[in-house]
mmCIF file of all heavy atoms in Angstrom:
data_model
loop_
_atom_site.group_PDB
_atom_site.id
_atom_site.type_symbol
_atom_site.label_atom_id
_atom_site.label_comp_id
_atom_site.label_asym_id
_atom_site.label_seq_id
_atom_site.Cartn_x
_atom_site.Cartn_y
_atom_site.Cartn_z
ATOM 1 N N MET A 1 0.822 -1.209 0.000
ATOM 2 C CA MET A 1 0.000 0.000 0.000
ATOM 3 C C MET A 1 0.860 1.264 0.000
ATOM 4 O O MET A 1 0.498 2.270 -0.601
ATOM 5 C CB MET A 1 -0.942 -0.048 1.188
ATOM 6 C CG MET A 1 -1.911 -1.231 1.082
ATOM 7 S SD MET A 1 -2.928 -1.447 2.533
ATOM 8 C CE MET A 1 -3.356 -3.185 2.391
ATOM 9 N N ARG A 2 1.996 1.196 0.659
ATOM 10 C CA ARG A 2 2.883 2.363 0.690
ATOM 11 C C ARG A 2 3.534 2.608 -0.674
ATOM 12 O O ARG A 2 3.598 3.734 -1.154
ATOM 13 C CB ARG A 2 3.974 2.151 1.743
ATOM 14 C CG ARG A 2 4.975 3.312 1.836
ATOM 15 C CD ARG A 2 5.914 3.102 3.000
ATOM 16 N NE ARG A 2 5.169 3.016 4.252
ATOM 17 C CZ ARG A 2 5.685 2.632 5.423
ATOM 18 N NH1 ARG A 2 6.946 2.256 5.482
ATOM 19 N NH2 ARG A 2 4.936 2.592 6.497
ATOM 20 N N LEU A 3 4.000 1.544 -1.298
ATOM 21 C CA LEU A 3 4.708 1.684 -2.569
ATOM 22 C C LEU A 3 3.755 1.937 -3.730
ATOM 23 O O LEU A 3 4.105 2.607 -4.696
ATOM 24 C CB LEU A 3 5.522 0.411 -2.838
ATOM 25 C CG LEU A 3 6.729 0.217 -1.928
ATOM 26 C CD1 LEU A 3 7.162 -1.229 -1.911
ATOM 27 C CD2 LEU A 3 7.868 1.124 -2.370
ATOM 28 N N ASP A 4 2.566 1.362 -3.644
ATOM 29 C CA ASP A 4 1.527 1.500 -4.670
ATOM 30 C C ASP A 4 2.044 1.142 -6.064
ATOM 31 O O ASP A 4 1.808 1.860 -7.036
ATOM 32 C CB ASP A 4 0.919 2.905 -4.653
ATOM 33 C CG ASP A 4 -0.482 2.929 -5.270
ATOM 34 O OD1 ASP A 4 -1.170 1.903 -5.189
ATOM 35 O OD2 ASP A 4 -0.866 3.977 -5.834
ATOM 36 N N VAL A 5 2.763 0.028 -6.143
ATOM 37 C CA VAL A 5 3.089 -0.578 -7.434
ATOM 38 C C VAL A 5 2.302 -1.889 -7.494
ATOM 39 O O VAL A 5 1.919 -2.442 -6.464
ATOM 40 C CB VAL A 5 4.603 -0.848 -7.586
ATOM 41 C CG1 VAL A 5 5.387 0.447 -7.520
ATOM 42 C CG2 VAL A 5 5.101 -1.832 -6.532
ATOM 43 N N PRO A 6 2.010 -2.410 -8.687
ATOM 44 C CA PRO A 6 1.257 -3.663 -8.775
ATOM 45 C C PRO A 6 1.876 -4.729 -7.873
ATOM 46 O O PRO A 6 3.058 -5.055 -8.006
ATOM 47 C CB PRO A 6 1.359 -4.023 -10.249
ATOM 48 C CG PRO A 6 1.459 -2.689 -10.942
ATOM 49 C CD PRO A 6 2.313 -1.850 -10.030
ATOM 50 N N SER A 7 1.083 -5.240 -6.946
ATOM 51 C CA SER A 7 1.634 -6.096 -5.891
ATOM 52 C C SER A 7 0.716 -7.255 -5.558
ATOM 53 O O SER A 7 -0.512 -7.142 -5.614
ATOM 54 C CB SER A 7 1.856 -5.286 -4.608
ATOM 55 O OG SER A 7 2.739 -4.215 -4.799
ATOM 56 N N MET A 8 1.333 -8.346 -5.167
ATOM 57 C CA MET A 8 0.585 -9.475 -4.629
ATOM 58 C C MET A 8 1.465 -10.208 -3.631
ATOM 59 O O MET A 8 2.687 -10.011 -3.580
ATOM 60 C CB MET A 8 0.124 -10.413 -5.741
ATOM 61 C CG MET A 8 1.231 -11.053 -6.515
ATOM 62 S SD MET A 8 0.607 -11.956 -7.952
ATOM 63 C CE MET A 8 -0.660 -12.943 -7.201
ATOM 64 N N VAL A 9 0.823 -11.048 -2.827
ATOM 65 C CA VAL A 9 1.532 -11.825 -1.816
ATOM 66 C C VAL A 9 1.190 -13.296 -2.008
ATOM 67 O O VAL A 9 0.036 -13.646 -2.268
ATOM 68 C CB VAL A 9 1.153 -11.365 -0.390
ATOM 69 C CG1 VAL A 9 1.828 -12.247 0.659
ATOM 70 C CG2 VAL A 9 1.552 -9.895 -0.176
ATOM 71 N N ILE A 10 2.201 -14.136 -1.890
ATOM 72 C CA ILE A 10 2.006 -15.581 -1.959
ATOM 73 C C ILE A 10 2.268 -16.113 -0.557
ATOM 74 O O ILE A 10 3.364 -15.953 -0.013
ATOM 75 C CB ILE A 10 2.956 -16.243 -2.989
ATOM 76 C CG1 ILE A 10 2.662 -15.712 -4.394
ATOM 77 C CG2 ILE A 10 2.807 -17.752 -2.960
ATOM 78 C CD1 ILE A 10 3.364 -14.426 -4.755
ATOM 79 N N THR A 11 1.264 -16.717 0.050
ATOM 80 C CA THR A 11 1.378 -17.157 1.436
ATOM 81 C C THR A 11 2.037 -18.524 1.538
ATOM 82 O O THR A 11 2.033 -19.313 0.594
ATOM 83 C CB THR A 11 -0.008 -17.232 2.089
ATOM 84 O OG1 THR A 11 -0.752 -18.317 1.493
ATOM 85 C CG2 THR A 11 -0.778 -15.935 1.922
ATOM 86 N N GLY A 12 2.565 -18.793 2.716
ATOM 87 C CA GLY A 12 3.189 -20.092 2.967
ATOM 88 C C GLY A 12 2.210 -21.162 3.392
ATOM 89 O O GLY A 12 2.562 -22.340 3.473
ATOM 90 N N GLY A 13 0.965 -20.779 3.690
ATOM 91 C CA GLY A 13 -0.060 -21.749 4.047
ATOM 92 C C GLY A 13 -0.041 -22.160 5.497
ATOM 93 O O GLY A 13 0.753 -21.676 6.311
ATOM 94 N N ALA A 14 -0.955 -23.064 5.821
ATOM 95 C CA ALA A 14 -1.158 -23.492 7.205
ATOM 96 C C ALA A 14 -0.441 -24.805 7.505
ATOM 97 O O ALA A 14 -0.227 -25.637 6.625
ATOM 98 C CB ALA A 14 -2.656 -23.642 7.474
ATOM 99 N N MET A 15 -0.106 -24.974 8.760
ATOM 100 C CA MET A 15 0.515 -26.196 9.263
ATOM 101 C C MET A 15 -0.553 -27.253 9.555
ATOM 102 O O MET A 15 -1.674 -26.923 9.950
ATOM 103 C CB MET A 15 1.265 -25.860 10.557
ATOM 104 C CG MET A 15 1.887 -27.036 11.278
ATOM 105 S SD MET A 15 2.476 -26.573 12.934
ATOM 106 C CE MET A 15 3.900 -25.559 12.508
ATOM 107 N N GLN A 16 -0.205 -28.505 9.382
ATOM 108 C CA GLN A 16 -1.074 -29.591 9.825
ATOM 109 C C GLN A 16 -1.086 -29.650 11.349
ATOM 110 O O GLN A 16 -0.093 -29.323 12.005
ATOM 111 C CB GLN A 16 -0.559 -30.936 9.283
ATOM 112 C CG GLN A 16 -0.591 -31.064 7.776
ATOM 113 C CD GLN A 16 -1.993 -31.273 7.230
ATOM 114 O OE1 GLN A 16 -2.912 -31.621 7.962
ATOM 115 N NE2 GLN A 16 -2.156 -31.067 5.930
ATOM 116 N N ALA A 17 -2.200 -30.041 11.921
ATOM 117 C CA ALA A 17 -2.252 -30.258 13.368
ATOM 118 C C ALA A 17 -1.469 -31.517 13.720
ATOM 119 O O ALA A 17 -1.301 -32.417 12.898
ATOM 120 C CB ALA A 17 -3.695 -30.386 13.828
ATOM 121 N N GLY A 18 -0.993 -31.586 14.954
ATOM 122 C CA GLY A 18 -0.263 -32.758 15.398
ATOM 123 C C GLY A 18 -1.173 -33.809 16.010
ATOM 124 O O GLY A 18 -2.353 -33.562 16.259
ATOM 125 N N GLN A 19 -0.626 -34.980 16.241
ATOM 126 C CA GLN A 19 -1.333 -36.061 16.923
ATOM 127 C C GLN A 19 -0.468 -36.532 18.089
ATOM 128 O O GLN A 19 0.711 -36.842 17.916
ATOM 129 C CB GLN A 19 -1.602 -37.220 15.957
ATOM 130 C CG GLN A 19 -2.568 -36.899 14.844
ATOM 131 C CD GLN A 19 -3.986 -36.686 15.351
ATOM 132 O OE1 GLN A 19 -4.456 -37.389 16.266
ATOM 133 N NE2 GLN A 19 -4.683 -35.716 14.785
ATOM 134 N N HIS A 20 -1.080 -36.564 19.265
ATOM 135 C CA HIS A 20 -0.320 -36.970 20.448
ATOM 136 C C HIS A 20 -1.245 -37.739 21.379
ATOM 137 O O HIS A 20 -2.312 -37.240 21.775
ATOM 138 C CB HIS A 20 0.247 -35.738 21.160
ATOM 139 C CG HIS A 20 1.021 -36.061 22.410
ATOM 140 N ND1 HIS A 20 2.174 -36.800 22.390
ATOM 141 C CD2 HIS A 20 0.784 -35.744 23.713
ATOM 142 C CE1 HIS A 20 2.640 -36.913 23.624
ATOM 143 N NE2 HIS A 20 1.808 -36.298 24.446
ATOM 144 N N CYS A 21 -0.875 -38.953 21.709
ATOM 145 C CA CYS A 21 -1.673 -39.810 22.601
ATOM 146 C C CYS A 21 -3.111 -39.944 22.112
ATOM 147 O O CYS A 21 -4.067 -39.896 22.904
ATOM 148 C CB CYS A 21 -1.644 -39.266 24.030
ATOM 149 S SG CYS A 21 -0.006 -39.279 24.784
ATOM 150 N N GLY A 22 -3.259 -40.048 20.785
ATOM 151 C CA GLY A 22 -4.577 -40.256 20.209
ATOM 152 C C GLY A 22 -5.428 -39.010 20.094
ATOM 153 O O GLY A 22 -6.601 -39.099 19.728
ATOM 154 N N LYS A 23 -4.832 -37.840 20.374
ATOM 155 C CA LYS A 23 -5.588 -36.594 20.308
ATOM 156 C C LYS A 23 -4.950 -35.629 19.327
ATOM 157 O O LYS A 23 -3.722 -35.629 19.144
ATOM 158 C CB LYS A 23 -5.658 -35.931 21.690
ATOM 159 C CG LYS A 23 -6.445 -36.715 22.729
ATOM 160 C CD LYS A 23 -6.480 -35.952 24.048
ATOM 161 C CE LYS A 23 -7.270 -36.710 25.112
ATOM 162 N NZ LYS A 23 -7.294 -35.979 26.405
ATOM 163 N N THR A 24 -5.796 -34.776 18.705
ATOM 164 C CA THR A 24 -5.283 -33.708 17.858
ATOM 165 C C THR A 24 -4.751 -32.598 18.749
ATOM 166 O O THR A 24 -5.425 -32.160 19.698
ATOM 167 C CB THR A 24 -6.399 -33.150 16.957
ATOM 168 O OG1 THR A 24 -6.846 -34.197 16.090
ATOM 169 C CG2 THR A 24 -5.893 -31.990 16.116
ATOM 170 N N VAL A 25 -3.533 -32.143 18.481
ATOM 171 C CA VAL A 25 -2.917 -31.101 19.313
ATOM 172 C C VAL A 25 -2.327 -30.013 18.414
ATOM 173 O O VAL A 25 -1.941 -30.264 17.274
ATOM 174 C CB VAL A 25 -1.800 -31.674 20.220
ATOM 175 C CG1 VAL A 25 -2.379 -32.547 21.318
ATOM 176 C CG2 VAL A 25 -0.773 -32.463 19.402
ATOM 177 N N VAL A 26 -2.280 -28.807 18.953
ATOM 178 C CA VAL A 26 -1.608 -27.687 18.302
ATOM 179 C C VAL A 26 -0.587 -27.128 19.280
ATOM 180 O O VAL A 26 -0.581 -27.486 20.470
ATOM 181 C CB VAL A 26 -2.612 -26.592 17.868
ATOM 182 C CG1 VAL A 26 -3.538 -27.117 16.788
ATOM 183 C CG2 VAL A 26 -3.420 -26.059 19.045
ATOM 184 N N GLU A 27 0.250 -26.231 18.804
ATOM 185 C CA GLU A 27 1.372 -25.739 19.607
ATOM 186 C C GLU A 27 0.917 -25.175 20.948
ATOM 187 O O GLU A 27 1.576 -25.362 21.982
ATOM 188 C CB GLU A 27 2.139 -24.682 18.804
ATOM 189 C CG GLU A 27 3.463 -24.259 19.401
ATOM 190 C CD GLU A 27 3.298 -23.160 20.435
ATOM 191 O OE1 GLU A 27 2.298 -22.421 20.372
ATOM 192 O OE2 GLU A 27 4.170 -23.039 21.320
ATOM 193 N N ALA A 28 -0.241 -24.499 20.970
ATOM 194 C CA ALA A 28 -0.721 -23.872 22.204
ATOM 195 C C ALA A 28 -1.014 -24.904 23.293
ATOM 196 O O ALA A 28 -1.030 -24.564 24.488
ATOM 197 C CB ALA A 28 -1.966 -23.041 21.913
ATOM 198 N N ASP A 29 -1.236 -26.165 22.912
ATOM 199 C CA ASP A 29 -1.521 -27.198 23.911
ATOM 200 C C ASP A 29 -0.316 -27.494 24.792
ATOM 201 O O ASP A 29 -0.462 -28.087 25.873
ATOM 202 C CB ASP A 29 -1.981 -28.486 23.217
ATOM 203 C CG ASP A 29 -3.345 -28.340 22.566
ATOM 204 O OD1 ASP A 29 -4.227 -27.711 23.189
ATOM 205 O OD2 ASP A 29 -3.536 -28.830 21.437
ATOM 206 N N LEU A 30 0.874 -27.109 24.353
ATOM 207 C CA LEU A 30 2.065 -27.307 25.181
ATOM 208 C C LEU A 30 1.946 -26.589 26.515
ATOM 209 O O LEU A 30 2.406 -27.079 27.549
ATOM 210 C CB LEU A 30 3.310 -26.804 24.443
ATOM 211 C CG LEU A 30 3.943 -27.733 23.404
ATOM 212 C CD1 LEU A 30 5.009 -26.977 22.633
ATOM 213 C CD2 LEU A 30 4.542 -28.957 24.074
ATOM 214 N N ASP A 31 1.333 -25.398 26.491
ATOM 215 C CA ASP A 31 1.243 -24.607 27.716
ATOM 216 C C ASP A 31 0.360 -25.285 28.758
ATOM 217 O O ASP A 31 0.680 -25.310 29.949
ATOM 218 C CB ASP A 31 0.728 -23.207 27.409
ATOM 219 C CG ASP A 31 1.695 -22.423 26.546
ATOM 220 O OD1 ASP A 31 2.888 -22.386 26.891
ATOM 221 O OD2 ASP A 31 1.275 -21.874 25.521
ATOM 222 N N ALA A 32 -0.777 -25.833 28.294
ATOM 223 C CA ALA A 32 -1.654 -26.544 29.224
ATOM 224 C C ALA A 32 -0.915 -27.714 29.853
ATOM 225 O O ALA A 32 -1.018 -27.961 31.063
ATOM 226 C CB ALA A 32 -2.908 -27.021 28.504
ATOM 227 N N ALA A 33 -0.143 -28.428 29.043
ATOM 228 C CA ALA A 33 0.616 -29.563 29.562
ATOM 229 C C ALA A 33 1.684 -29.102 30.549
ATOM 230 O O ALA A 33 1.903 -29.717 31.601
ATOM 231 C CB ALA A 33 1.256 -30.327 28.402
ATOM 232 N N ARG A 34 2.334 -27.990 30.204
ATOM 233 C CA ARG A 34 3.417 -27.478 31.063
ATOM 234 C C ARG A 34 2.895 -27.103 32.449
ATOM 235 O O ARG A 34 3.488 -27.443 33.470
ATOM 236 C CB ARG A 34 4.048 -26.272 30.366
ATOM 237 C CG ARG A 34 5.211 -25.644 31.101
ATOM 238 C CD ARG A 34 6.012 -24.745 30.156
ATOM 239 N NE ARG A 34 5.214 -23.698 29.565
ATOM 240 C CZ ARG A 34 5.160 -22.447 30.022
ATOM 241 N NH1 ARG A 34 5.855 -22.105 31.096
ATOM 242 N NH2 ARG A 34 4.447 -21.526 29.408
ATOM 243 N N PHE A 35 1.754 -26.399 32.484
ATOM 244 C CA PHE A 35 1.236 -25.944 33.767
ATOM 245 C C PHE A 35 0.480 -27.037 34.524
ATOM 246 O O PHE A 35 0.185 -26.876 35.708
ATOM 247 C CB PHE A 35 0.333 -24.728 33.566
ATOM 248 C CG PHE A 35 1.095 -23.465 33.279
ATOM 249 C CD1 PHE A 35 1.198 -22.979 31.987
ATOM 250 C CD2 PHE A 35 1.740 -22.779 34.292
ATOM 251 C CE1 PHE A 35 1.914 -21.823 31.712
ATOM 252 C CE2 PHE A 35 2.463 -21.632 34.036
ATOM 253 C CZ PHE A 35 2.550 -21.144 32.738
ATOM 254 N N SER A 36 0.158 -28.131 33.851
ATOM 255 C CA SER A 36 -0.519 -29.224 34.542
ATOM 256 C C SER A 36 0.463 -30.150 35.244
ATOM 257 O O SER A 36 0.074 -31.151 35.844
ATOM 258 C CB SER A 36 -1.363 -30.038 33.552
ATOM 259 O OG SER A 36 -0.522 -30.716 32.622
ATOM 260 N N GLY A 37 1.751 -29.808 35.142
ATOM 261 C CA GLY A 37 2.759 -30.578 35.857
ATOM 262 C C GLY A 37 3.454 -31.634 35.039
ATOM 263 O O GLY A 37 4.111 -32.524 35.597
ATOM 264 N N ALA A 38 3.340 -31.561 33.717
ATOM 265 C CA ALA A 38 4.013 -32.535 32.860
ATOM 266 C C ALA A 38 5.522 -32.465 33.061
ATOM 267 O O ALA A 38 6.092 -31.374 33.238
ATOM 268 C CB ALA A 38 3.668 -32.273 31.394
ATOM 269 N N SER A 39 6.172 -33.603 33.026
ATOM 270 C CA SER A 39 7.626 -33.647 33.175
ATOM 271 C C SER A 39 8.293 -33.177 31.895
ATOM 272 O O SER A 39 7.656 -33.083 30.839
ATOM 273 C CB SER A 39 8.073 -35.074 33.483
ATOM 274 O OG SER A 39 7.844 -35.903 32.347
ATOM 275 N N GLU A 40 9.594 -32.905 31.980
ATOM 276 C CA GLU A 40 10.325 -32.475 30.790
ATOM 277 C C GLU A 40 10.311 -33.578 29.730
ATOM 278 O O GLU A 40 10.213 -33.293 28.539
ATOM 279 C CB GLU A 40 11.759 -32.101 31.151
ATOM 280 C CG GLU A 40 12.510 -31.508 29.977
ATOM 281 C CD GLU A 40 13.830 -30.861 30.374
ATOM 282 O OE1 GLU A 40 14.102 -30.758 31.577
ATOM 283 O OE2 GLU A 40 14.569 -30.465 29.458
ATOM 284 N N GLU A 41 10.357 -34.846 30.169
ATOM 285 C CA GLU A 41 10.316 -35.959 29.219
ATOM 286 C C GLU A 41 8.967 -36.004 28.499
ATOM 287 O O GLU A 41 8.898 -36.232 27.280
ATOM 288 C CB GLU A 41 10.574 -37.281 29.947
ATOM 289 C CG GLU A 41 11.997 -37.465 30.451
ATOM 290 C CD GLU A 41 12.298 -36.624 31.704
ATOM 291 O OE1 GLU A 41 11.336 -36.167 32.372
ATOM 292 O OE2 GLU A 41 13.491 -36.408 31.993
ATOM 293 N N GLU A 42 7.880 -35.788 29.249
ATOM 294 C CA GLU A 42 6.544 -35.780 28.644
ATOM 295 C C GLU A 42 6.386 -34.618 27.677
ATOM 296 O O GLU A 42 5.797 -34.762 26.598
ATOM 297 C CB GLU A 42 5.476 -35.721 29.735
ATOM 298 C CG GLU A 42 5.362 -36.991 30.556
ATOM 299 C CD GLU A 42 4.483 -36.831 31.777
ATOM 300 O OE1 GLU A 42 4.478 -35.721 32.374
ATOM 301 O OE2 GLU A 42 3.803 -37.797 32.139
#
């Protein structure tokens, strides 16, 4: 918008969700695990 020359953006797209212990997980789920007392190994 600042340059105002013909412009477009090509996005990198979305990440697949993870699977852990039979459940779909995303990165934010790490925090719940961390505060619930999960060990470093877990």
Side-chain angles (χ1 to χ4, degrees):
M1 297 174 203
R2 179 173 301 169
L3 290 160
D4 203 29
V5 298
S7 301
M8 63 188 309
V9 176
I10 298 86
T11 69
M15 176 191 289
Q16 296 286 343
Q19 293 292 321
H20 179 63
C21 296
K23 294 181 180 179
T24 297
V25 290
V26 294
E27 190 275 336
D29 291 319
L30 279 171
D31 295 310
R34 182 163 58 98
F35 285 101
S36 67
S39 68
E40 186 168 353
E41 290 75 18
E42 290 170 326

